[in-house]
Amino acid sequence: MEFFNSALGKNITFVRPAYFIISGFIGIPHVKYYYIFLCFVYIFSVLANTAVMAVICLDPNLRTPKYIIVFNLAFTDLFSNSALVPKVLDVFLFNHHHIPYNDCLTFLFFCYTCLSMQSLNLVALSYDRLIAISYPLQYRVKITHRLMLCVVASLWLSVVTVVLIATGLLTRLSFCQSVVIRSYFCDHGQLYRLACNDITPSFIMAKVLQALILWFPLIFILCTYLYISYALSKVTTVQGRVKALKTCTAHLSLVAIYFIPIIVTFMFGKNIHPNARIINLSLSSVFPPMLNPIIYVLQTQEIKESVRKLLKIRKKSGIKVKKVIIK
């Protein structure tokens, strides 16, 4: 009955603390150097993702349906690290461990929205690769600008809705005892377990978030590559198979970087020391946004050519300016 009362919003008094305390690492000396390292990772991530978005905007050849998703991935990575790292630095470098109740929920909302969008962007890119390799002659008909814009908008709408519901259900919880969150940010799982009333709705939403962030994207991507493997088995030449696989290397690298640390955390979460869990989760949150633009620049021929072209244009314009000044 308590579940229905909380879900239907009946007159119930909830105990809401003025603030939560984010504990972070426990018993590790000189831990501030780790957060300084995260700061440098954040700065590099901002510059790299901004550069990728600028290249896509400046080069007309990259204004294709595929690069709508790549642009969205770079934007999500930039947004993700900007939502997480500055607040983490404020909490642990400047010892602001007390975070107000509403600020904590807002922090949680933006972190989980970005984390979910990162995995769903990989789903959209895997679908693009599936059509490109399995149906190359129909690719331009099936994958259009309109379709990709609709996919991006649908993903954002779905994620915001689910995370908003999960955050809203936390407001139906009473926190009568501990207010210490044993994590490095306002972690949903750590937060709802502190409650002293019925946590069933939040427990269900935790499973939904887990499915949204991990299981659905991972299963979809695995099925996609199984089908791609089947399609490649029909290609007669080895060179044709290798050429098709090369177009997937960047995406497969992103999938491995994103999913492996999260799978380890979810599979062995109960047996992992809290400090190890924080390191694993924090690195899996900030490293993919930093590495994604590097991987796309190094492994995607179109972006490499676009960067070279833009650099040549800049050099030529610089030479022309010098000549004018000399004259």
Side-chain angles (χ1 to χ4, degrees):
M1 192 65 191
E2 223 175 306
F3 171 86
F4 290 105
N5 284 342
S6 60
L8 295 171
K10 294 193 176 178
N11 293 326
I12 305 169
T13 302
F14 298 105
V15 179
R16 292 173 182 169
Y19 56 83
F20 290 103
I21 300 170
I22 301 178
S23 65
F25 292 105
I26 301 167
I28 298 181
H30 311 296
V31 75
K32 287 192 175 183
Y33 293 112
Y34 177 72
Y35 296 113
I36 293 169
F37 165 71
L38 291 185
C39 180
F40 284 108
V41 170
Y42 169 66
I43 292 167
F44 184 86
S45 172
V46 169
L47 295 173
N49 283 293
T50 303
V52 168
M53 289 191 291
V55 168
I56 293 171
C57 289
L58 292 171
D59 190 348
N61 295 324
L62 296 181
R63 291 170 196 170
T64 60
K66 174 188 172 182
Y67 284 98
I68 291 173
I69 301 296
V70 174
F71 183 91
N72 190 53
L73 178 65
F75 172 76
T76 305
D77 288 342
L78 179 63
F79 188 26
S80 174
N81 269 1
S82 296
L84 178 67
V85 179
K87 188 62 182 176
V88 168
L89 296 179
D90 178 57
V91 170
F92 297 107
L93 278 183
F94 301 101
N95 295 318
H96 297 152
H97 293 267
H98 293 67
I99 179 167
Y101 178 85
N102 288 331
D103 290 1
C104 189
L105 295 186
T106 304
F107 188 25
L108 179 149
F109 171 78
F110 283 113
C111 288
Y112 274 91
T113 297
C114 296
L115 194 62
S116 302
M117 274 306 300
Q118 283 176 343
S119 61
L120 292 178
N121 278 324
L122 296 177
V123 168
L125 284 169
S126 71
Y127 176 72
D128 175 84
R129 291 299 84 208
L130 172 69
I131 302 299
I133 293 171
S134 304
Y135 309 98
L137 299 177
Q138 301 173 41
Y139 179 77
R140 291 182 182 274
V141 178
K142 287 179 178 287
I143 305 294
T144 62
H145 287 85
R146 185 177 179 179
L147 173 68
M148 282 306 184
L149 288 170
C150 288
V151 167
V152 168
S154 301
L155 292 178
W156 276 104
L157 185 62
S158 303
V159 166
V160 167
T161 302
V162 171
V163 178
L164 202 58
I165 292 169
T167 308
L169 287 173
L170 291 175
T171 65
R172 316 297 293 175
L173 299 178
S174 292
F175 299 91
C176 337
Q177 297 174 2
S178 176
V179 292
V180 178
I181 302 170
R182 299 191 180 281
S183 186
Y184 69 103
F185 76 113
C186 292
D187 193 337
H188 181 268
Q190 297 293 318
L191 196 56
Y192 81 78
R193 289 187 180 93
L194 296 175
C196 53
N197 61 338
D198 183 21
I199 63 169
T200 307
S202 289
F203 174 77
I204 293 169
M205 283 310 299
K207 296 301 177 185
V208 171
L209 283 172
Q210 189 174 326
L212 183 69
I213 294 171
L214 178 61
W215 300 120
F216 164 70
L218 188 59
I219 291 167
F220 185 92
I221 291 167
L222 288 174
C223 291
T224 298
Y225 276 100
L226 284 173
Y227 194 88
I228 287 172
S229 301
Y230 172 71
L232 289 176
S233 67
K234 294 183 177 181
V235 178
T236 53
T237 62
V238 176
Q239 286 181 339
R241 292 175 191 173
V242 172
K243 188 178 178 181
L245 276 173
K246 277 185 178 179
T247 65
C248 299
T249 53
H251 181 254
L252 286 169
S253 302
L254 302 186
V255 169
I257 290 166
Y258 179 84
F259 283 106
I260 289 173
I262 294 178
I263 289 170
V264 169
T265 303
F266 276 116
M267 297 293 286
F268 307 103
K270 292 181 180 178
N271 301 318
I272 295 176
H273 189 276
N275 287 343
R277 184 178 181 275
I278 290 171
I279 289 174
N280 194 24
L281 278 178
S282 59
L283 291 179
S284 64
S285 297
V286 300
F287 257 54
M290 180 190 74
L291 295 175
N292 289 351
I294 298 173
I295 289 167
Y296 258 97
V297 169
L298 293 178
Q299 296 189 13
T300 308
Q301 193 63 32
E302 297 101 316
I303 291 186
K304 280 197 284 188
E305 288 176 3
S306 180
V307 169
R308 284 176 196 145
K309 192 193 301 180
L310 290 169
L311 289 174
K312 282 180 183 177
I313 292 168
R314 190 176 176 183
K315 283 180 181 177
K316 285 179 182 178
S317 63
I319 291 166
K320 285 180 182 178
V321 169
K322 284 181 179 178
K323 284 181 178 178
V324 169
I325 290 168
I326 291 167
K327 286 178 182 179

